[in-house]
Amino acid sequence: MNDLAAFMPQLILSVHSGVHDAAAAVFEDYDLKAAIALERLTRRKSDGSTHPDAAIDEVLSIAGATRRDVDVVATSRAMFPKAYFPRLGGLRWLREQYRSRVGKDRLLLGAEQHRYRAPRAEDVFDAAAWLRDGGFRDDAAVHFYNHHEAHALPTSRARDCLSRSRFSGPARRRHRSHPGDSPRQ
């Protein structure tokens, strides 16, 4: 990496490709530039029926970028097309062929990790092929996160927020939100 690249902002794409509420967001050096749920584009409540390519393209368009501009992809260990799971074989491959014919053409990455007792998503998922086929640069970094743990992130700061908040009147007497509050009267 040259010295100039160290000062260039990183474009981070965050993707959730779940069975419901698929979404994408784009950040420039952790500054949110755009976010959209797939349901806003398809007009189907809680849509997660497909990989959120439309949401990805929309947030990148809003940010004035393309897939080739993305430096980092942070994606949940959720639903991905079966083509990126190279371990499928034998009877399992046959079963998944049938499931594809009835419209079930994606697998849950977290479940596949569990099935094969794989410590890393990359042990069961071909991230390089997924990046290439998705139109991203080969040198883009891919990071996988646990979708359910992501729900907890906003609450990790809840105690700080509560300790800074000001309660007044009867609510202060009824609730003891942190050690500095006076006891009930």
Side-chain angles (χ1 to χ4, degrees), residues 9-17 23-36 51-63 65-76 80 130-131 134-137 140-145:
Q10 270 196 327
L11 195 64
I12 303 167
L13 175 67
S14 178
V15 180
H16 173 61
S17 177
V26 67
F27 298 83
E28 188 174 317
D29 279 346
Y30 304 101
D31 181 30
L32 180 65
K33 295 298 179 186
I36 193 163
H51 191 270
D53 285 312
I56 290 169
D57 292 336
E58 184 66 20
V59 295
L60 288 171
S61 174
I62 291 168
T66 68
R67 291 177 183 226
R68 302 291 299 165
D69 298 323
V70 172
D71 298 303
V72 178
V73 179
T75 184
S76 62
F80 289 92
W130 179 74
L131 281 175
F136 298 100
R137 295 190 329 255
V142 179
H143 298 281
F144 296 94
Y145 64 88

Side-chain angles (χ1 to χ4, degrees), residues 4-183:
L4 182 59
F7 296 105
M8 295 180 67
Q10 270 196 327
L11 195 64
I12 303 167
L13 175 67
S14 178
V15 180
H16 173 61
S17 177
V19 294
H20 60 83
D21 298 324
V26 67
F27 298 83
E28 188 174 317
D29 279 346
Y30 304 101
D31 181 30
L32 180 65
K33 295 298 179 186
I36 193 163
L38 185 60
E39 72 176 18
R40 294 292 163 207
L41 302 172
T42 63
R43 300 293 185 215
R44 287 189 303 241
K45 185 73 174 154
S46 301
D47 194 6
S49 61
T50 63
H51 191 270
D53 285 312
I56 290 169
D57 292 336
E58 184 66 20
V59 295
L60 288 171
S61 174
I62 291 168
T66 68
R67 291 177 183 226
R68 302 291 299 165
D69 298 323
V70 172
D71 298 303
V72 178
V73 179
T75 184
S76 62
R77 292 180 297 174
M79 304 298 286
F80 289 92
K82 292 176 187 175
Y84 302 109
F85 294 91
R87 286 191 169 190
L88 292 179
L91 290 175
R92 178 92 196 285
W93 177 85
L94 191 59
R95 175 181 176 250
E96 293 306 329
Q97 291 299 309
Y98 169 75
R99 288 174 45 89
S100 292
R101 296 210 188 274
V102 295
K104 299 188 185 223
D105 58 347
R106 298 184 302 160
L107 291 174
L108 188 60
L109 177 54
E112 292 302 301
Q113 266 187 269
H114 181 72
R115 176 187 307 275
Y116 293 106
R117 293 179 177 82
R120 301 174 325 122
E122 295 86 347
D123 295 337
V124 295
F125 182 75
D126 189 350
W130 179 74
L131 281 175
R132 183 184 58 251
D133 293 349
F136 298 100
R137 295 190 329 255
D138 290 338
D139 66 340
V142 179
H143 298 281
F144 296 94
Y145 64 88
N146 182 312
H147 164 76
H148 293 109
E149 289 175 1
H151 285 293
L153 282 175
T155 62
S156 67
R157 302 301 252 164
R159 184 166 177 86
D160 293 341
C161 293
L162 284 173
S163 67
R164 282 186 252 127
S165 66
R166 302 278 185 236
F167 291 106
S168 61
R172 182 159 179 100
R173 286 192 296 270
R174 282 196 307 263
H175 302 289
R176 186 175 178 153
S177 63
H178 71 289
D181 279 351
S182 61

